[in-house]
């Protein structure tokens, strides 16, 4: 099960995914705005069915991934409950793991949405009335567990502990980091500064800095900071502010949310 | 006892039921299945010892699943379990065959799953074990568990197969050519692994998780009648032997060594295993077990006395659902019905 705030220009919705499907609530949790039940095929018993991966995109849509590899695109009205399933994107053949929308400024030609799956395949999209597939980056054996998109840079975290940076427009790899010793569970991005947060099962949380020089077309990633959450497999990590000065961490068997900030 | 328990556990129908794609059992259902298995021989345990045994099993398994370097390694852990089981019954070709058959089924079903699918299985298991922090003496002693019940997660040692030692940043230009390298350091102290564990029927698993926790560096002095194999397997790693565990094994071996292989006739009802040092301690443990740790399972003692068995079967027969109703059947009922027939 996942929960995510989806910020659209007109409203903020709380979106929950589970084995049943998708639920959307008003931001104060007062009313359920919409729910979508997942189709359970006849041979469902052999493979579990679930929804996973949530992102607000294009100022108008909420995208949710599914275990079949399909991405559901919901059109959200500025008010009320008239949410409609606008499109189903069927480019992935493996369960969706994460979806991310552009959080900065996309350069020309780069899409504004990236979807990732169990095989490590990434798809780049341009959102709109009809979504267009701009590019596909094939996986190379490791699950892409989480993904972010900023200024046309895709930052992807993998089950083998690697972080890779891809250029959204060309689909080319621009950086490879041996970041963690275990499965990366969470990536988050601070849009004001390009700081990247990664949390993994190895107990570590790292803060990185992404940068892109549009004249030279240099893309860089630097290591800023490391925290070790002793004896804890980190399952969630999020920046608490858009500049990335503070962040929160959760872990398996941990009943607390740990907050880190400048001294 | 070993033969009886293992034969029951690897019974073909039982395994068929287990291999059907299904949701995870509820805690209650799992505990009931475990109780039945533990009583599949002449061995008996009182409530307190049974609780203790179940706690031990639960925490040991939680530890193994949690510390798997790769999600796929839960399969290697399973194979380690089976390797150890095969060691226990290496002189019984019939049972050995059953275990091998299960081995093959595991390989067929799971060897081809992706990392993502294994991680999903692992996450499901970890959710089942969430918030369980029972302290296990052998774990506390080996510094594998903290005094607050949480497991120690080492930040050193070999990285999983397929993972690189953290520290390197490589930058590429828009043509895909590497133009820069940088390094970062952390408190971790990792090294590259030597080789990958084997997923074949026989092979070096490399991974130590799932190997016999109570293996000692020298063989147990007693021997079981009808078998020349030792109870404990050869030491696979240098665990400081837990003297209490060794005593338990000695006691068990002595009892088994003195008993006939056949089930006892007439009024004998087998022997009782006590996981505490004295009967009084066991009694005390039963009375003082905290409410939140009680498993709330009704113990049906299935003894070997013919009269009792008929009565029990009658009662169970009345309790059984004739046909499993899809969706509304209590998880594990089919399985329990099956086990009653064994």
């Amino acid at each position: 099960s996942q929960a995510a705030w989806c910020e659209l220009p007109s409203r903020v919705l709380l979106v929950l995914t589970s084995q049943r499907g998708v639920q959307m609530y008003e931001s104060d949790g007062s009313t359920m705005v919409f729910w979508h039940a997942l189709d359970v095929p006849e041979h469902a018993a052999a493979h579990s069915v679930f929804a996973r991966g949530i992102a607000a995109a294009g100022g108008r849509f909420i995208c949710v991934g599914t275990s079949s590899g399909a991405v559901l695109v919901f059109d959200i009205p500025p008010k009320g409950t008239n949410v409609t399933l606008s499109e189903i994107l069927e480019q992935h053949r493996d369960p969706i793991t994460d979806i991310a929308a552009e959080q900065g400024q996309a350069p020309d030609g780069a899409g504004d949405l990236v979807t990732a799956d169990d095989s490590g395949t990434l798809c780049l999209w341009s959102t709109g009335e009809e979504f267009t597939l701009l590019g596909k980056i094939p996986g190379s054996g490791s699950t892409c567990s989480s993904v972010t998109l900023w200024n046309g840079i895709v930052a992807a975290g993998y089950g083998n502990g690697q972080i890779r940076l891809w250029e959204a427009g060309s689909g080319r790899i621009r950086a490879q980091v041996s970041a963690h010793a275990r499965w990366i569970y969470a990536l988050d991005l601070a849009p004001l500064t390009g700081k990247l947060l990664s949390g993994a099962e190895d107990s570590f949380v790292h803060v990185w800095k992404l940068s892109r020089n549009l004249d030279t077309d240099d893309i860089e990633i630097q290591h800023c900071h490391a925290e070790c959450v002793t004896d804890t497999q980190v399952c969630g990590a999020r920046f608490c502010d858009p500049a990335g000065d503070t962040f929160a961490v959760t872990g398996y068997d941990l009943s607390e949310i740990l907050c880190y900030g400048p001294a | 006892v070993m033969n009886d328990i293992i034969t029951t556990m690897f019974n073909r129908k039982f395994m068929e039921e287990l291999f059907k794609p299904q949701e995870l059992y509820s805690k209650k259902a799992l505990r009931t299945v475990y109780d039945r298995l533990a009583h599949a021989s002449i061995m008996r345990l009182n409530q307190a010892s049974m609780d203790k045994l179940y706690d031990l099993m639960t925490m040991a398994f939680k530890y193994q699943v949690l510390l798997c370097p790769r999600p796929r390694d839960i399969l290697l852990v399973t194979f380690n379990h089976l390797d150890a089981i095969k060691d226990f019954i290496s002189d019984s070709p019939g049972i050995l065959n059953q275990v091998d058959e299960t081995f093959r089924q595991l390989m067929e079903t799971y060897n081809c799953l992706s990392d993502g699918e294994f991680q999903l299985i692992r996450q499901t298991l970890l959710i089942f074990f969430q918030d369980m922090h029972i302290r296990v003496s052998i774990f506390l002693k080996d510094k594998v568990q903290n005094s607050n019940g949480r497991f120690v997660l080492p930040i050193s040692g070999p990285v999983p197969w397929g993972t690189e030692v953290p520290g390197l940043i490589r930058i590429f230009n828009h043509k895909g050519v590497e133009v820069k390298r940088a390094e970062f350091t952390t408190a971790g102290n990792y090294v590259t692994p030597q080789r990958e564990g084997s997923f074949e029927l026989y092979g070096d698993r490399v991974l130590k998780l799932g190997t016999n926790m109570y293996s000692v560096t020298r063989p147990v002095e007693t021997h079981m009648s009808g078998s020349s194999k030792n109870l404990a397997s050869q030491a696979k790693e240098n665990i400081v032997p837990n003297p209490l565990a060794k005593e338990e094994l000695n006691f068990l071996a002595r009892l088994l060594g003195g008993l006939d292989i056949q089930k006892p006739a007439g009024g004998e009802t087998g022997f009782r295993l006590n996981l505490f040092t004295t009967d009084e301690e066991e009694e005390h443990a039963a009375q003082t077990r905290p409410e939140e740790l009680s498993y709330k399972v009704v113990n049906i003692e299935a003894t070997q006395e013919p009269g009792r068995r008929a009565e029990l079967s009658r009662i169970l027969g009345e309790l059984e659902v004739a046909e499993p109703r899809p969706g509304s059947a209590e998880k594990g009922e089919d399985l329990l019905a099956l086990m009653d027939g064994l």
Side-chain angles (χ1 to χ4, degrees):
Chain A
S1 302
Q2 283 185 320
W5 294 110
C6 288
E7 278 185 46
L8 292 164
S10 52
R11 68 202 293 192
V12 174
L13 289 179
L14 176 65
V15 180
L16 307 176
T17 59
S18 69
Q19 285 187 297
R20 302 279 175 76
V22 188
Q23 292 173 318
M24 300 187 191
Y25 293 85
E26 294 289 4
S27 57
D28 59 1
S30 58
T31 26
M32 183 166 76
V33 170
F34 177 74
W35 69 274
H36 173 93
L38 286 176
D39 282 329
V40 179
E42 265 165 47
H43 310 291
H47 290 275
S48 58
V49 173
F50 54 84
R52 184 172 61 186
I54 309 168
R60 189 179 143 191
F61 303 99
I62 288 179
C63 302
V64 179
T66 67
S67 46
S68 67
V71 176
L72 308 171
V73 180
F74 297 98
D75 197 337
I76 314 292
K79 265 199 304 222
T81 60
N82 191 19
V83 174
T84 52
L85 178 60
S86 142
E87 209 178 337
I88 301 179
L89 309 175
E90 284 172 323
Q91 283 293 333
H92 290 275
R93 281 182 306 194
D94 296 277
I96 302 293
T97 49
D98 201 11
I99 305 179
E102 171 63 64
Q103 286 181 263
Q105 293 278 41
D108 293 330
D112 58 336
L113 187 78
V114 59
T115 53
D117 72 28
D118 257 4
S119 71
T121 301
L122 301 168
C123 287
L124 292 139
W125 307 86
S126 161
T127 64
E129 283 279 342
E130 261 181 46
F131 280 43
T132 320
L133 178 73
L134 296 180
K136 208 182 231 186
I137 300 169
S140 50
S142 190
T143 301
C144 175
S145 47
S146 45
V147 75
T148 66
L149 180 57
W150 181 75
N151 288 359
I153 308 170
V154 174
Y158 294 84
N160 65 0
Q162 265 197 7
I163 293 176
R164 292 182 173 186
L165 298 188
W166 305 86
E167 199 191 322
S170 63
R172 287 230 163 93
I173 191 168
R174 296 304 297 265
Q176 193 165 298
V177 186
S178 312
H180 289 274
R182 294 282 189 280
W183 188 281
I184 295 179
Y185 258 116
L187 280 188
D188 194 26
L189 191 119
L192 287 185
T193 53
K195 277 197 188 162
L196 182 74
L197 185 68
S198 66
E201 277 179 12
D202 62 354
S203 314
F204 281 91
V205 179
H206 290 291
V207 181
W208 317 83
K209 183 93 162 28
L210 303 185
S211 56
R212 179 169 202 168
N213 184 323
L214 282 170
D215 299 321
T216 61
D217 202 27
D218 283 340
I219 290 175
E220 280 237 10
I221 176 169
Q222 291 168 314
H223 183 255
C224 300
H225 186 73
E227 280 294 335
C228 180
V229 189
T230 312
D231 296 338
T232 303
Q233 294 194 348
V234 173
C235 294
R238 283 282 180 272
F239 283 120
C240 302
D241 67 284
D245 291 324
T246 51
F247 57 90
V249 172
T250 58
Y252 174 70
D253 256 354
L254 206 58
S255 47
E256 303 146 330
I257 300 175
L258 303 173
C259 292
Y260 295 81
Chain B
V1 168
M2 282 295 202
N3 280 9
D4 283 349
I5 293 178
I6 294 171
T7 305
T8 306
M9 207 188 291
F10 287 86
N11 175 275
R12 196 191 176 82
K13 279 200 154 193
F14 186 59
M15 278 298 142
E16 253 173 46
E17 186 60 39
L18 284 184
F19 270 89
K20 286 184 191 159
Q22 57 193 291
E23 295 290 322
L24 204 61
Y25 286 4
S26 68
K27 293 195 180 169
K28 215 164 164 183
L30 182 67
R31 173 58 199 262
T32 310
V33 170
Y34 192 75
D35 276 7
R36 302 285 184 98
L37 275 176
H39 287 98
S41 70
I42 54 170
M43 186 178 72
R44 290 289 166 270
L45 290 104
N46 281 349
Q47 179 77 356
S49 280
M50 194 62 230
D51 284 346
K52 189 174 180 190
L53 188 64
Y54 188 75
D55 286 349
L56 183 62
M57 183 280 291
T58 304
M59 290 308 289
F61 189 54
K62 177 176 181 175
Y63 173 69
Q64 289 165 16
V65 174
L66 189 65
L67 261 83
C68 273
R70 304 172 295 178
R72 182 174 303 273
D73 289 337
I74 56 176
L75 194 52
L76 280 183
V77 166
T78 309
F79 290 162
N80 271 336
H81 289 178
L82 289 186
D83 287 342
I85 288 169
K86 281 164 72 172
D87 232 15
F88 293 144
I89 43 113
S90 52
D91 288 347
S92 314
I95 316 171
L96 200 53
N97 220 11
Q98 275 177 261
V99 179
D100 270 343
E101 193 46 51
T102 304
F103 217 119
R104 273 183 218 106
Q105 235 186 320
L106 278 170
M107 284 167 60
E108 201 182 290
T109 313
Y110 293 99
N111 272 12
C112 55
L113 290 194
S114 69
D115 288 346
E117 285 170 302
F118 270 117
Q119 183 65 315
L120 202 54
I121 293 171
R122 184 171 167 270
Q123 282 167 347
T124 309
L125 290 171
L126 286 177
I127 289 171
F128 182 91
F129 292 123
Q130 197 158 248
D131 300 326
M132 287 189 198
H133 300 295
I134 299 162
R135 292 187 290 276
V136 175
S137 56
I138 190 176
F139 286 151
L140 292 170
K141 186 172 226 171
D142 291 347
K143 304 264 189 285
V144 138
Q145 191 179 27
N146 293 321
S147 52
N148 63 5
R150 280 144 202 285
F151 291 117
V152 173
L153 300 184
I155 54 172
S156 59
V159 288
W161 190 261
T163 294
E164 286 165 9
V165 172
L168 186 62
I169 301 173
R170 298 167 67 193
I171 307 285
F172 305 91
N173 66 12
H174 61 276
K175 293 204 193 108
V177 177
E178 185 181 310
V179 292
K180 188 172 168 185
R181 281 200 171 198
E183 285 190 15
F184 67 94
T185 53
T186 61
N189 184 13
Y190 296 102
V191 294
T192 28
Q194 294 205 331
R195 60 191 184 284
E196 189 180 13
S198 162
F199 287 86
E200 302 298 313
L201 195 58
Y202 300 99
D204 180 7
R205 310 294 172 202
V206 180
L207 190 66
K208 297 294 166 253
L209 290 172
T211 54
N212 192 344
M213 277 163 54
Y214 293 105
S215 62
V216 292
T217 50
R218 32 180 214 297
V220 174
E221 287 86 48
T222 57
H223 73 278
M224 279 161 61
S225 68
S227 165
S228 56
K229 268 286 181 178
N230 294 316
L231 262 179
S233 59
Q234 301 296 323
K236 297 222 164 81
E237 58 172 329
N238 286 327
I239 309 175
V240 174
N242 181 353
L244 185 61
K246 184 164 168 278
E247 266 309 290
E248 289 164 6
L249 284 175
N250 279 340
F251 177 61
L252 189 58
R254 265 202 308 276
L255 285 175
L256 292 170
L259 286 169
D260 250 339
I261 303 171
Q262 262 78 22
K263 295 192 169 50
E268 291 174 59
T269 52
F271 72 93
R272 188 172 67 79
L273 183 65
N274 179 354
L275 290 186
F276 297 83
T277 35
T278 63
D279 282 352
E280 287 73 36
E281 217 186 282
E282 186 188 47
E283 176 68 37
H284 186 249
Q287 283 164 357
T288 58
R289 190 173 177 85
E291 184 56 33
E292 64 268 17
L293 289 180
S294 85
Y295 290 102
K296 297 185 172 66
V297 174
V298 174
N299 256 343
I300 300 172
E301 226 196 71
T303 67
Q304 300 300 314
E305 291 171 53
R308 281 251 227 149
R309 185 140 185 91
E311 173 70 23
L312 190 61
S313 299
R314 185 187 67 76
I315 296 169
L316 287 174
E318 282 166 3
L319 289 176
E320 262 168 44
V321 178
E323 253 158 54
R325 279 159 291 159
S328 60
E330 172 74 50
K331 185 63 233 148
E333 254 181 28
D334 295 344
L335 198 56
L336 294 180
L338 246 169
M339 294 183 77
D340 289 340
L342 291 174

